[in-house]
């Protein structure tokens, strides 16, 4: 906290110091848009006496503005700075009184303050303005319209207030006051607070208990009102299509019963943040923000508990920081996270916030002795808090060295920094600090030894920074653009993780990404693996070997089952089942081709060493809540695409159970060519089915050619006799059902088997084919 200037910078600085030291109540302190004028609204001990004083910085010539009002002059309601949309950098000061009269003042260099025009806001002579604000090029105010009868019933005239708006355009030709627009009539008393796009209507302290249970938010561009009871989570919006619908009671029609059961709002102080939200401080010391859509978010709780009714609380936002002054203590809180950044006990008796012109990273306070600035970034001689990226480097380094260390003592960031043993995080942090701040503030030159490393990792750093910027865009984007941002963000995140080590933390993060953004994660997976169909309709992938290894890696069981984490291969298979199920068997086949080219068969180091890939895909399929015919077909495709003997036989048994006989014969013909052993297993399986029923009779001409050469007639008869159905009714061959196996059906197979040459005959085929028998005697040697 350092003093920027004393009060002598202002014209009549001793008057300003005397005014602040006198201890008189200042109900309003505001600086002009250009920061050259300070405006004070002083309320003296008689409540009817008010005075406005304007102090100019570095005054050369020109009179200061000083006006005071005494009874019977009406009270002053508001001081508003209005900027001209026509003349760039031009602004005027509007002084609004209780009876609606408005004076518009303009400051001219070397001349001073000049009264441009006096206007009448209200149309009725009996109207009384209770609150006013400026929204864009319009003035919005809440006025009281007393009933005509002097002795009217107060219960009948409770809703005697009206919220109005009127355009006030400041141009080169002067001022132009538009027509009065009734925003809401027959309403209770409201305090109007304007953000750049919305107007908040906060119930006054003296409002009735029934109408102080909710807030109103007016959206001028949509002609829409939002009714919100933030603590109860009630939000309702209604579009006002005509002026007749702007009645307060018609607005609440349909919500009265629900609103009546809510508790009254607990509001001690309210203010508008620079992001357009409404900051609320409750009597219990809780600070929250109400967004323009009506949702409420808690920020933090002030220390000390409940607040007194008259204790002043000042709120102001500077970027993402919320500054709050209460009982001589300044709190700086991060609005996004609610984290207390700084707590400063002030020695000044009374302070007021000022606009920090051109300095977004500092807070300016006006006190009795001068103007003080509280900088967010600490000076160079002290330890400046590190940015999030730099801190992340040290935390990641701690985890890395902790895994490699044999010591059981916990390695912390402080030990890593002070020890100086591990230079890699220190070097990387220095590079990050230099590259992150070289565009914002002039930084010290980077060491020559780090320059080469910086040039090497500059592209990676730019990619990471663009990723962080994209994350910030997702948080701040409107609802219509969130989906496109999320798609791009997920694609970058998935690509980044696939290029890094697939440890437990990254795998857990990937699981959360696939669960939160399934469609975006599916598109990101297709992009990273470059999955597409070629001209023949086959699935192809052009992923690098490093990416394939991360896709196919299977973590240890103790890393997966505990918290429901799924390996990346299972995540991708689940995405295939959800968005492109026809591609899943082809994808499993692609992965098996990569495995066969990278690892030897059944190698324990490879992904197929523990659980085959087709079984992992079948496990994902089994996790589906509903199982139908499409899932049976998918199971068949996964079993067949593996081309493993056990999987092919399992698929054959599944087809037999489903009685898909054409498909059974088709699969048998296709996979019998893979190996003689699989051919024998398939034929024996189908021969056993042939012996039990007559469903395979139409396909015998395609089935008998599959008979292996080493199978003899006795082997065929043994299989047939073992699988004949047991019947106690009619003796074979005189069955009445007509579905028994006959010798005539089996005769073509037996003839085919008998025609097969015997294995032992093949051993002596050379001798049997000789022209002479027995063979001639070999010549003897003498």
């Amino acid at each position: 906290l350092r003093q920027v200037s004393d009060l002598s910078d202002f014209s009549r600085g001793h008057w300003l110091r005397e005014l602040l030291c006198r201890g008189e109540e200042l109900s309003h302190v505001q600086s002009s848009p250009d920061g050259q004028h300070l405006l004070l609204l002083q309320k003296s001990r008689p409540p009817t006496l008010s005075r406005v004083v304007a102090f100019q910085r570095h005054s050369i010539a020109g009179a200061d503005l000083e006006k005071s009002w005494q009874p019977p002059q009406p009270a002053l309601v508001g001081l508003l700075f209005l900027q001209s949309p026509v003349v760039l950098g031009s602004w005027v000061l509007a002084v609004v009184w209780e009876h609606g009269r408005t004076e518009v003042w303009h400051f001219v260099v070397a001349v001073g303050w000049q009264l441009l025009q006096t206007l009448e806001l209200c149309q009725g002579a009996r109207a009384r303005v209770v609150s006013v604000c400026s929204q864009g090029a319009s003035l919005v105010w809440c006025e009281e319209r007393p009933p005509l009868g002097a002795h009217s019933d107060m219960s009948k005239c409770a809703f005697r207030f009206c919220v109005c708006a009127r355009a006030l355009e400041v141009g080169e030709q002067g001022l132009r006051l538009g027509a009065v627009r009734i925003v809401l009539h027959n309403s209770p008393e409201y305090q109007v607070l304007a953000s750049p796009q919305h107007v908040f209507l906060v119930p006054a302290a003296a409002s009735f208990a029934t109408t102080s249970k909710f807030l109103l938010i007016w959206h001028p561009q949509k002609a829409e009102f939002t009714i919100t009871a933030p603590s109860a989570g009630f939000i309702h919006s209604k579009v006002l299509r005509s002026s007749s619908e702007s009645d307060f009671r018609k607005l609440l029609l349909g919500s009265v019963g629900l609103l009546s059961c809510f508790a009254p709002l607990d509001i001690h102080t309210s203010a508008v943040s620079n992001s357009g939200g409404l900051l609320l401080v409750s009597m219990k010391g809780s600070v929250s923000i109400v967004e323009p859509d009506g949702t409420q978010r808690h920020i933090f709780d002030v220390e000390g508990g409940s607040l007194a009714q008259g204790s002043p609380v000042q709120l102001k936002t500077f970027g993402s920081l919320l500054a709050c002054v209460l009982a001589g203590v300044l709190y700086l809180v991060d609005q996004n996270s609610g984290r207390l950044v700084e707590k400063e006990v002030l020695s000044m008796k009374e302070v007021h916030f000022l606009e920090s012109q051109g300095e977004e990273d500092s807070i300016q306070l006006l006190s009795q002795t001068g103007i003080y600035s509280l900088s967010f970034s600490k000076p160079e001689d002290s330890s400046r808090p590190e940015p999030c990226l730099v801190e992340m480097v040290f935390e990641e380094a701690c985890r890395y060295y902790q895994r490699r260390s044999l010591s059981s003592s916990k390695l912390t960031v402080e030990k890593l920094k002070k020890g100086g043993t591990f230079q890699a995080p220190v070097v990387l942090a220095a590079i990050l600090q230099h590259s992150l701040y070289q565009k914002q503030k002039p930084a010290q030159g980077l060491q020559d030894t780090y320059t080469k490393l910086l040039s090497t990792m500059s592209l990676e750093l730019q990619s990471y920074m663009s990723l962080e910027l994209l994350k910030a865009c997702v948080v701040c984007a409107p609802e219509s653009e969130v989906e496109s941002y999320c798609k791009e963000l997920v694609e970058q995140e998935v690509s980044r993780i696939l290029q890094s080590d697939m440890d437990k933390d990254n795998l857990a993060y990937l699981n959360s990404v696939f669960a939160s953004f399934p469609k975006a994660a599916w598109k990101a997976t297709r992009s990273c693996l470059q999955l597409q169909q070629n001209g023949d309709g086959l699935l192809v992938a052009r992923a690098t070997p490093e990416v394939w290894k991360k896709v196919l890696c299977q973590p240890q069981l103790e890393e997966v089952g505990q918290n429901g984490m799924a390996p990346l291969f299972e995540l991708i298979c689940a995405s295939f089942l959800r968005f492109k199920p026809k591609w899943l068997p082809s994808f499993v086949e692609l992965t098996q081709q990569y495995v066969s080219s990278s690892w030897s068969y059944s190698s324990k180091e490879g992904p197929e060493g523990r659980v085959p890939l087709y079984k992992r895909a079948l496990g994902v399929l089994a996790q589906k809540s509903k199982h139908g015919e499409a899932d049976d077909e998918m199971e068949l495709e996964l079993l067949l695409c593996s081309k493993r003997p056990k999987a092919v036989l399992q698929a054959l048994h599944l087809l037999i159970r489903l009685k898909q006989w054409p498909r059974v014969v088709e699969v048998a013909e296709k996979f019998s060519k893979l190996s003689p052993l699989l051919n024998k297993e398939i034929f024996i399986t189908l021969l056993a089915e042939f012996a039990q029923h007559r469903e395979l009779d139409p396909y015998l001409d395609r089935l008998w050619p599959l008979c292996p050469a080493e199978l003899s007639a006795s082997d065929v008869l043994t299989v047939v006799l073992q699988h004949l159905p047991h019947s106690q009714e009619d003796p074979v061959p005189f069955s009445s059902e007509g579905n028994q196996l006959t010798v005539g059906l089996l005769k073509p197979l037996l003839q085919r088997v008998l025609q097969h040459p015997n294995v032992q005959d093949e051993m002596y085929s050379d001798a049997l084919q000789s022209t002479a028998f027995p063979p001639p005697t070999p010549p003897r040697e003498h």
Side-chain angles (χ1 to χ4, degrees):
L1 189 66
R2 59 187 181 87
Q3 185 173 352
V4 178
S5 64
D6 57 11
L7 299 184
S8 61
D9 288 350
F10 290 93
S11 60
R12 302 183 298 169
H14 59 286
W15 286 16
L16 177 58
R17 185 179 293 106
E18 179 185 354
L19 186 64
L20 293 172
C21 294
R22 205 181 296 165
E24 298 179 353
E25 182 183 358
L26 297 178
S27 60
H28 191 83
V29 177
Q30 188 174 1
S31 57
S32 61
D34 56 5
Q36 294 300 312
H37 299 268
L38 184 65
L39 206 67
L40 305 180
L41 176 59
Q42 175 192 4
K43 287 189 177 179
S44 301
R45 288 290 173 258
T48 55
L49 180 62
S50 1
R51 183 168 66 146
V52 172
V53 185
F55 296 91
Q56 181 188 1
R57 282 188 187 229
H58 314 294
S59 175
I60 301 175
D64 292 316
L65 177 65
E66 181 178 358
K67 290 183 69 70
S68 57
W69 297 269
Q70 295 183 0
Q73 180 78 16
L76 191 65
V77 178
L79 299 171
L80 306 172
F81 282 106
L82 305 175
Q83 287 189 309
S84 172
V86 180
V87 184
L88 188 64
S90 177
W91 52 268
V92 295
L93 171 66
V95 183
V96 184
W97 279 276
E98 191 179 53
H99 61 332
R101 178 167 295 177
T102 302
E103 290 185 359
V104 181
W105 292 78
H106 180 55
F107 183 82
V108 181
V109 181
V111 177
W113 288 92
Q114 291 182 336
L115 179 63
L116 290 182
Q117 198 169 341
T118 301
L119 310 170
E120 294 291 341
L121 281 185
C122 305
Q123 290 181 330
R126 297 167 55 85
R128 182 178 70 91
V129 179
V130 295
S131 177
V132 65
C133 66
S134 62
Q135 206 282 325
S138 299
L139 292 177
V140 182
W141 70 94
C142 177
E143 67 177 43
E144 181 185 10
R145 295 182 174 180
L148 296 176
H151 302 285
S152 299
D153 187 6
M154 288 301 294
S155 62
K156 294 182 180 180
C157 61
F159 303 98
R160 62 185 186 276
F161 292 86
C162 181
V163 179
C164 308
R166 202 166 186 180
L168 179 60
E169 296 181 1
V170 182
E172 296 179 349
Q173 306 300 326
L175 302 176
R176 191 182 70 84
L177 192 62
V180 177
R181 178 185 175 188
I182 304 297
V183 178
L184 191 67
H185 59 87
N186 295 329
S187 72
E189 182 180 355
Y190 278 113
Q191 179 189 6
V192 289
L193 299 168
S195 71
Q197 302 294 333
H198 314 87
V199 177
F200 294 94
L201 277 64
V202 181
S207 181
F208 291 92
T210 53
T211 59
S212 62
K213 298 181 178 182
F214 55 89
L215 298 171
L216 294 179
I217 306 172
W218 178 45
H219 311 271
Q221 296 179 352
K222 303 178 183 178
E224 182 183 27
F225 262 104
T226 297
I227 309 168
T228 174
S231 58
F234 174 78
I235 301 173
H236 175 67
S237 297
K238 186 175 182 181
V239 178
L240 305 182
R241 296 179 177 84
S242 62
S243 58
S244 61
E245 296 183 3
S246 62
D247 185 82
F248 178 76
R249 285 165 290 192
K250 290 183 179 180
L251 178 65
L252 297 183
L253 195 61
S255 306
V256 177
L258 189 60
L259 291 171
S260 61
C261 62
F262 295 155
L265 295 173
D266 183 13
I267 300 177
H268 179 278
T269 307
S270 59
V272 178
S273 70
N274 55 6
S275 62
L278 178 65
L279 296 167
L280 297 178
V281 182
S282 68
M283 300 296 294
K284 298 178 182 178
S286 175
V287 182
S288 59
I289 183 170
V290 179
E291 301 294 344
D293 60 358
T295 57
Q296 183 182 26
R297 179 171 58 87
H298 176 263
I299 299 180
F300 84 112
D301 294 319
V302 179
E303 297 178 2
S306 302
L307 305 178
Q309 183 67 40
S311 58
V313 178
Q314 295 191 51
L315 298 172
K316 196 167 184 63
T317 53
F318 298 85
S320 62
L321 284 188
L322 168 65
C324 176
V325 174
L326 172 65
V329 180
L330 172 65
Y331 300 91
L332 293 182
V333 182
D334 188 349
Q335 290 185 83
N336 299 325
S337 63
R339 180 174 59 92
L340 181 63
V341 178
E342 188 75 25
K343 177 185 175 183
E344 190 85 17
V345 180
L346 304 177
S347 59
M348 301 85 168
K349 183 178 180 182
E350 184 179 2
V351 295
H352 300 276
F353 289 117
L354 297 179
E355 295 290 342
S356 303
Q357 301 298 327
E359 299 181 11
E360 297 180 354
D361 59 345
S362 65
I363 295 175
Q364 288 195 355
L365 303 171
L366 174 67
S367 70
Q368 296 93 335
T369 57
I371 298 178
Y372 291 82
S373 174
L374 182 64
S375 179
F376 299 160
S377 58
K378 296 181 180 179
E380 297 179 357
D381 55 351
S382 63
S383 58
R384 184 176 65 182
E386 309 216 331
C388 58
L389 283 180
V390 176
E391 195 67 27
M392 195 182 299
V393 169
F394 285 109
E395 291 175 359
E396 185 69 25
C398 282
R399 288 199 295 266
Y400 174 72
Y401 290 123
Q402 195 72 51
R403 286 197 302 265
R404 297 185 58 186
S405 175
L406 300 177
S407 174
S408 59
S409 60
K410 187 71 176 175
L411 180 64
T412 63
V413 175
E414 289 73 17
K415 291 181 181 179
L416 185 65
K417 292 178 182 177
K418 293 179 181 178
T421 309
F422 311 105
Q423 290 297 318
V426 179
V427 171
L428 187 56
I431 292 175
L432 283 174
Q433 281 180 329
H434 178 270
S435 57
L436 290 177
Y437 285 92
Q438 62 183 353
K439 295 180 180 179
Q440 301 175 10
K441 293 184 178 180
Q444 296 180 354
L446 193 64
Q447 297 184 19
D448 295 337
T449 53
Y450 298 163
T451 306
K452 185 177 180 181
L453 184 57
L454 175 60
S455 63
T456 305
M457 60 176 292
S458 59
L459 293 178
E460 295 292 334
L461 183 59
Q462 290 175 9
S463 174
Y464 198 93
M465 287 303 298
S466 65
L467 185 61
E468 293 297 319
L469 181 62
L470 182 58
K471 289 179 181 179
C473 291
V474 172
V475 175
C476 305
E479 188 175 354
S480 59
E481 301 177 7
V482 167
E483 186 176 355
S484 61
Y485 278 126
C486 286
K487 177 183 174 182
E488 185 179 352
L489 175 60
V490 170
E491 184 172 344
Q492 291 194 28
E493 285 288 74
V494 172
S495 175
R496 179 182 65 85
I497 293 178
L498 288 180
Q499 293 173 3
S500 59
D501 295 334
M502 189 57 65
D503 55 6
K504 186 178 179 181
D505 294 335
N506 282 340
L507 187 58
Y509 181 51
L510 267 182
N511 274 259
S512 64
V513 168
F514 272 78
S516 303
F517 309 99
K519 191 171 183 179
W522 157 246
K523 292 183 178 180
T525 304
R526 288 184 58 180
S527 176
C528 293
L529 298 179
Q530 299 186 43
L531 289 171
Q532 57 186 354
Q533 281 183 320
N534 61 7
D536 300 329
L538 299 176
L539 187 68
V540 294
R542 294 182 176 86
T544 60
E546 290 76 15
V547 173
W548 272 124
K549 287 181 181 180
K550 293 180 176 64
V551 169
L552 299 177
C553 72
Q554 187 175 13
Q556 299 293 333
L557 293 177
E558 58 270 12
E559 295 181 0
V560 180
Q562 298 288 335
N563 53 3
M565 273 196 307
L568 180 56
F569 179 77
E570 276 75 359
L571 289 175
I572 296 176
C573 288
S575 293
F576 270 104
L577 281 175
R578 182 169 182 177
F579 298 103
K580 203 75 172 177
K582 292 183 180 180
W583 284 10
L584 179 57
S586 302
F587 172 72
V588 175
E589 197 169 358
L590 274 177
T591 56
Q592 290 176 152
Q593 291 174 6
Y594 173 75
V595 169
S596 62
S597 63
S598 301
W599 289 282
S600 60
Y601 183 74
S602 71
S603 171
K604 291 185 178 181
E605 289 79 13
E608 296 249 344
R610 282 175 280 180
V611 182
L613 293 173
Y614 80 94
K615 285 190 176 181
R616 294 172 63 179
L618 286 173
V620 177
L621 180 63
Q623 293 176 359
K624 290 187 65 176
S625 57
K626 295 181 180 180
H627 196 84
E629 296 181 2
D631 296 328
D632 290 334
E633 186 65 27
M634 179 62 65
E635 184 178 353
L636 280 170
E637 293 292 336
L638 290 173
L639 289 170
L640 295 176
C641 76
S642 68
K643 298 180 182 179
R644 289 198 168 197
K646 288 184 179 180
V648 172
L649 290 174
Q650 186 179 346
L652 196 65
H653 285 290
L654 180 58
L655 284 171
I656 291 172
R657 190 177 76 243
L658 297 174
K659 296 184 178 181
Q660 298 183 11
W661 306 114
R663 187 96 181 271
V664 168
V665 178
E666 182 184 341
V667 168
E669 289 177 335
K670 179 180 179 181
F671 290 94
S672 292
K673 303 173 184 177
L674 292 181
S675 68
L677 183 61
L678 181 58
N679 182 18
K680 183 178 180 180
E681 292 288 340
I682 291 175
F683 183 77
I684 291 176
T685 302
L686 296 184
L687 186 60
E689 287 296 318
F690 164 75
Q692 296 177 23
H693 51 74
R694 306 275 55 82
E695 301 286 350
L696 283 171
D697 289 358
Y699 310 99
L700 294 181
D701 57 340
R702 298 169 59 187
L703 186 60
W704 298 149
L706 301 179
C707 180
E710 69 269 14
L711 212 62
S712 64
S714 60
D715 295 334
V716 171
L717 292 175
T718 301
V719 173
V720 169
L721 291 174
Q722 286 178 348
H723 293 88
L724 282 175
H726 299 284
S727 177
Q728 303 296 333
E729 298 177 358
D730 300 323
V732 180
F734 305 103
S735 174
S736 60
E737 297 179 2
N739 62 351
Q740 294 294 335
L741 177 62
T742 62
V743 177
L745 291 173
L746 198 58
K747 183 179 178 180
L749 174 62
L750 294 175
Q751 288 178 343
R752 189 179 187 87
V753 172
L754 290 174
Q755 291 175 1
H756 286 167
N758 196 355
V759 177
Q760 292 183 355
D761 294 343
E762 292 180 357
M763 295 172 60
Y764 302 102
S765 60
D766 293 337
L768 293 175
Q769 292 174 3
S770 177
T771 55
F773 188 84
T777 304
R780 301 176 183 270
E781 294 182 1
H782 299 283

